[in-house]
Amino acid sequence: MSDQNNNKAEWPLWEVFIRSKAGLDHKHVGSLHAADAEMAIENARDVYTRRMEGVSIWVIESKYIHASDPDNAASLYEPANDKIYRHPTFYDLPDELKHM
Amino acid sequence: MTVRDFQEAFDEKIDKEIAIEPRDWMPDNYRKTLIRQISQHAHSEIVGMLPEGNWITRAPSLRRKAVLLAKVQDEAGHGLYLYSAAETLGITRDEMVEQLHSGKAKYSSIFNYPTTTWADIGAIGWLVDGAAIMNQVALCRTSYGPYARAMVRICKEESFHQRQGYEILLHMSKGTEIQRKMVQDAIDRWWWPSLMMFGPTDDDSPNTAQSMRWRVKRFTNDELRQRFIDVTVEQCKILGMELPDPELKWNEERGHFDYGPIDWEEFWNVVNGNGPCNRERLKARNDAWEKGAWVRDAALAYSEKRKKRAKEADTKAA
Ligand SMILES: [Fe+2]
Ligand SMILES: [Fe+2]
């Protein structure tokens, strides 16, 4: 589609992450446009936390996000594929054994 | 992989109900259909603020004013969630805004009707948001991940919209004779346009089959419309009001209410720009955009200036 540069006046896009309460991770909730980080946080408050959905907000300009390629998923995750011994259920132990 | 492999992998995901995410391969038409549907939906939320905004300054009490303000603010939020979902498909915000302002993009034609009395605010919450909810609940399971997630968020917020509207009407329906007349008049005017919100009948909706196949749509227009009518008839009884359709009748065999013919000529007339408020709505959006241009430019200039200053301070410190 059209190049970001053709639209000089468009505010940059930011990804928004919200911690819904202390003790939980920040989670991606969506994106928004803002001229700078401060405005992005204020906009995120208005757009994504109108009902006390968050206690902490992270914003990052979308262009700085690097993502894995879904088409390479098979090879990317291949190393974990055949290592079932990483799971506790791999080990066959007697039923009498407790607290393990 | 060849295009055919990609297509097969895509079809398999759809069949297995695995969500499609922004960076996944998808058919061009799937992308186009979604961009059109999501951006139209976003535009509807944004334009939808106008008829209700009309009454914020004249709400009959501070409580009603605070509620209406919160409701309209939610609709702005819904528009923003949806624009951001559409942007993950590769269209920019400015492109969408430009499509709305030029009249190229459509929005729900219901918002081209005027809000002439306070009872209209009640009828909109009850019927218009009610119809929207019917549609949106079904879309919470749509196949495109970002769209589905936006819908979940929206649905959580919508139920208060419908309840506040119904409460307005319930309150007025227990009031004076004039107030009861206002309620009935608002229902009379909003009922048919609300039914039209579900779109043309299934026979007249050529894209439905493809959208169902892609699981973008989960139910047809007529299915959702019927569901809406069935629940709304009962709600209307509690208000002690009548729905303006003499043919509305319970059909034991179908297990649904039968209803009279919808005036599709009116629908297409409004869709094609000739409703009572089409021009006014587009003008309001265009004016807001143009008058806000200096704010957008100033904010960018200010952020550039601050970046430059921070850089200068850094070099000095080094
Ligand atoms: Fe909404
Ligand atoms: Fe709403």
Side-chain angles (χ1 to χ4, degrees):
Chain A
M1 311 267 151
S2 87
D3 190 351
Q4 197 85 358
N5 297 331
N6 293 341
N7 268 320
K8 275 220 183 79
E10 188 169 282
W11 289 346
L13 189 65
W14 301 74
E15 300 302 320
V16 180
F17 300 81
I18 295 202
R19 186 200 295 286
S20 58
K21 64 176 194 189
L24 296 181
D25 295 323
H26 286 78
K27 197 175 144 209
H28 184 243
V29 293
S31 58
L32 47 74
H33 288 267
D36 56 30
E38 202 182 317
M39 188 195 279
I41 288 175
E42 276 166 16
N43 288 357
R45 177 205 55 200
D46 292 341
V47 178
Y48 292 105
T49 67
R50 285 191 304 284
R51 288 172 176 77
M52 315 275 295
E53 289 97 333
V55 294
S56 162
I57 297 173
W58 285 353
V59 293
I60 178 161
E61 239 187 286
S62 309
K63 66 177 179 194
Y64 295 121
I65 301 255
H66 298 267
S68 61
D69 182 351
D71 297 331
N72 294 336
S75 57
L76 185 66
Y77 301 114
E78 195 273 328
N81 234 345
D82 56 354
K83 296 181 179 59
I84 47 168
Y85 44 84
R86 282 176 172 164
H87 297 277
T89 46
F90 176 76
Y91 302 91
D92 196 9
L93 299 177
D95 290 347
E96 310 87 87
L97 187 69
K98 298 288 179 223
H99 305 298
M100 190 181 283
Chain B
M1 290 217 285
T2 65
V3 171
R4 228 182 101 192
D5 295 335
F6 280 124
Q7 178 73 51
E8 260 167 36
F10 174 84
D11 291 341
E12 198 186 311
K13 270 195 211 158
I14 295 284
D15 289 339
K16 287 186 177 159
E17 304 267 338
I18 297 171
I20 308 299
E21 294 293 344
R23 291 171 56 91
D24 294 344
W25 185 92
M26 59 187 88
D28 279 349
N29 271 335
Y30 177 82
R31 185 185 298 276
K32 267 189 219 146
T33 299
L34 277 168
I35 287 178
R36 185 169 30 83
Q37 183 171 331
I38 301 174
S39 63
Q40 272 183 18
H41 196 159
H43 298 327
S44 303
E45 303 281 355
I46 297 299
V47 177
M49 289 192 281
L50 297 171
E52 288 180 295
N54 181 35
W55 282 89
I56 290 176
T57 56
R58 291 173 289 154
S61 70
L62 193 55
R63 177 182 183 271
R64 297 284 181 209
K65 189 194 287 251
V67 168
L68 184 56
L69 206 52
K71 196 240 181 214
V72 171
Q73 195 189 7
D74 271 356
E75 305 301 3
H78 298 174
L80 295 177
Y81 307 155
L82 288 161
Y83 281 133
S84 96
E87 283 174 277
T88 64
L89 291 159
I91 187 168
T92 67
R93 181 76 56 100
D94 277 1
E95 282 174 298
M96 288 187 273
V97 168
E98 143 62 29
Q99 289 173 356
L100 171 67
H101 291 179
S102 68
K104 186 181 164 222
K106 300 286 178 215
Y107 53 88
S108 182
S109 57
I110 191 87
F111 301 118
N112 291 315
Y113 291 86
T115 42
T116 51
T117 77
W118 172 249
D120 287 19
I121 299 305
I124 287 180
W126 175 40
L127 298 174
V128 176
D129 285 77
I133 290 169
M134 230 7 123
N135 203 16
Q136 287 166 344
V137 167
L139 285 170
C140 287
R141 287 171 53 241
T142 191
S143 57
Y144 187 56
Y147 191 23
R149 291 191 285 276
M151 276 305 134
V152 169
R153 195 171 265 284
I154 286 174
C155 285
K156 274 191 206 153
E157 301 183 350
E158 281 293 345
S159 77
F160 120 69
H161 296 184
Q162 197 184 17
R163 292 171 70 97
Q164 65 85 34
Y166 192 83
E167 191 200 58
I168 289 173
L169 296 186
L170 190 64
H171 198 78
M172 290 178 79
S173 72
K174 291 175 183 156
T176 63
E177 188 52 35
I178 292 172
Q179 285 173 317
R180 274 196 297 278
K181 270 198 183 135
M182 278 169 72
V183 173
Q184 186 60 60
D185 165 65
I187 294 172
D188 290 348
R189 281 179 293 111
W190 290 95
W191 173 247
W192 291 105
S194 298
L195 296 190
M196 294 175 197
M197 282 175 71
F198 296 95
T201 58
D202 296 349
D203 305 332
D204 246 339
S205 178
N207 300 324
T208 292
Q210 181 59 268
S211 286
M212 298 278 284
R213 170 68 191 93
W214 280 331
R215 315 236 166 139
V216 169
K217 262 186 167 179
R218 312 295 310 222
F219 301 95
T220 69
N221 297 350
D222 285 333
E223 282 169 345
L224 291 170
R225 183 167 19 243
Q226 182 71 61
R227 212 181 275 183
F228 174 71
I229 291 169
D230 291 347
V231 300
T232 308
V233 170
E234 297 303 319
Q235 295 169 351
C236 191
K237 277 185 198 151
I238 299 175
L239 292 176
M241 295 290 151
E242 274 185 45
L243 295 172
D245 179 359
E247 293 179 47
L248 203 59
K249 206 172 94 225
W250 179 250
N251 182 325
E252 192 68 57
E253 209 172 295
R254 289 203 311 129
H256 292 293
F257 281 91
D258 289 338
Y259 54 97
I262 293 172
D263 183 355
W264 292 111
E265 207 181 305
E266 173 182 328
F267 173 77
W268 289 114
N269 220 357
V270 182
V271 169
N272 291 325
N274 302 315
C277 302
N278 294 55
R279 262 154 278 232
E280 190 184 325
R281 300 293 184 238
L282 269 193
K283 184 175 182 311
R285 285 315 311 157
N286 274 292
D287 284 354
W289 182 255
E290 279 156 28
K291 285 182 190 154
W294 71 270
V295 180
R296 295 192 299 278
D297 293 343
L300 265 188
Y302 179 62
S303 109
E304 287 306 319
K305 193 162 111 186
R306 286 214 299 186
K307 260 186 231 158
K308 214 172 117 197
R309 275 200 195 138
K311 221 178 185 178
E312 281 165 9
D314 267 3
T315 17
K316 250 184 226 157

